[in-house]
Amino acid sequence: MILTVTLNTALDITYRVPSLRPHASHRVTDVTERPGGKGVNVARVLAALGHEVTVTGFVGGPAGQVLRELLAEASGPVDALVPVSGATRRTIAVVSELTGDTTQLNEPGPQITPAEWAAFLGRYEELLSGAAAVALCGSLPPGVPVGAYANLVRTARSAGVPVLLDTSGEPLRRGVAARPDIIKPNADELAELTGSHEPLRATQDARRRGAHAVVASLGADGLLAVTPEGRWHATPPARVHGNPTGAGDSAVAGLLSGLTQQLPWPDRLSRAVALSTATVRAPAAGEFDRATYGELLAGVSVTTA
């Protein structure tokens, strides 16, 4: 079983409009709702790939109830979310059909009490006993200690479970020091962590700070990985336009899938890039286009960095 942790789950809502103009009213042509938050997106992609996967984190309020109902309708992910008194946040993606561009609005999430945090820690330790790998994903809701991910990384390592960390800012800085097996920052998060805007230098610096392997997401330029086994740059076969929401989460799913199947790093990166690109092509946030995934996988280029 692969475990994904989403402390700040979300109900992802995607609006499609003919075009998006500031200071104007818009007629929405299509609305979709999906269970979301980074780790939930990761879990849904893993389940679609055929993996056994469990999701945990916090959930509460009306949006949280809808999230759980939608998660139950989706085939695959097991719901091990911890109920809280606050309300799960909503994220709004507004997609312009004219340009294909997406505008994202993210709510902050519920206030987590010390008792709720303690309940989650107990659930997390229980779930680790049956996990082949764990992904710690996304932002921290209010009330959760800033060093939470560092704590969760250490707990996973003590249990002998490989851990991937995908977050940003101070939670990433502290989490890296706890020596996760993989971190997956994007270019901005990597620059904030290291102070360097040169991708290879920044990725190497991030690894020196404690991560066993660093996989940096470079947007349309693919993934750059620095690992104990080598350095690689994986790029998609062509640049694509679409909704990038969830593309990074699909990359995490590809990395976890390859990790649990003990694939060589170039194959893990190919899978991650193909899934990420297929997600950009999909019409709704957090989905991936299965029809083109195989085609993309065959076309990914992986070179030594």
Side-chain angles (χ1 to χ4, degrees):
M1 176 267 287
I2 300 175
L3 176 63
T4 71
V5 174
T6 313
L7 297 178
N8 211 3
T9 57
L11 178 63
D12 287 342
I13 303 170
T14 302
Y15 293 139
R16 299 186 70 87
V17 298
S19 65
L20 185 61
R21 305 180 308 279
H23 316 298
S25 297
H26 296 79
R27 186 174 297 277
V28 176
T29 58
D30 184 65
V31 181
T32 58
E33 291 183 332
R34 296 289 186 274
K38 293 180 73 64
V40 175
N41 291 338
V42 171
R44 288 167 49 225
V45 173
L46 285 168
L49 292 173
H51 291 277
E52 179 185 352
V53 58
T54 297
V55 297
T56 191
F58 296 114
V59 67
Q65 180 60 34
V66 175
L67 184 155
R68 300 191 91 161
E69 292 170 357
L70 292 171
L71 193 62
E73 293 174 4
S75 59
V78 174
D79 179 351
L81 295 164
V82 176
V84 295
S85 57
T88 293
R89 66 193 177 121
R90 298 163 297 176
T91 67
I92 311 296
V94 183
V95 181
S96 168
E97 295 174 346
L98 178 66
T99 65
D101 292 334
T102 300
T103 299
Q104 190 81 13
L105 304 173
N106 297 329
E107 295 179 354
Q111 179 76 32
I112 305 301
T113 68
E116 291 166 344
W117 176 239
F120 167 78
L121 290 176
R123 176 69 60 86
Y124 177 68
E125 291 183 8
E126 292 172 2
L127 292 169
L128 281 176
S129 64
V134 58
L136 309 175
C137 303
S139 61
L140 301 179
V144 172
V146 70
Y149 281 136
N151 183 16
L152 298 182
V153 168
R154 286 190 290 267
T155 301
R157 288 179 58 82
S158 295
V161 179
V163 55
L164 184 153
L165 177 62
D166 183 14
T167 188
S168 60
E170 189 62 21
L172 174 59
R173 189 180 307 278
R174 297 195 186 195
V176 168
R179 305 187 66 80
D181 293 87
I182 306 171
I183 63 169
K184 195 215 68 66
N186 62 32
D188 291 339
E189 292 162 352
L190 188 63
E192 183 182 7
L193 174 66
T194 66
S196 174
H197 291 272
E198 199 288 308
L200 182 57
R201 180 181 301 170
T203 304
Q204 291 173 313
D205 183 30
R207 185 165 180 261
R208 285 192 292 268
R209 291 169 184 257
H212 190 67
V214 180
V215 181
S217 176
L218 306 179
D221 292 325
L223 298 174
L224 177 64
V226 176
T227 80
E229 290 78 23
R231 307 183 310 195
W232 294 276
H233 185 198
T235 55
R239 288 180 178 266
V240 297
H241 298 284
N243 184 357
T245 305
D249 305 329
S250 291
V252 168
L255 294 172
L256 285 171
S257 175
L259 169 66
T260 57
Q261 293 179 351
Q262 299 182 331
L263 297 181
W265 268 104
D267 292 341
R268 299 186 202 182
L269 296 170
S270 293
R271 185 173 294 184
V273 168
L275 283 169
S276 180
T277 307
T279 299
V280 174
R281 286 188 178 181
E287 301 290 339
F288 75 93
D289 187 344
R290 293 169 178 80
T292 59
Y293 167 58
E295 171 193 338
L296 291 165
L297 183 61
V300 174
S301 171
V302 182
T303 58
T304 302

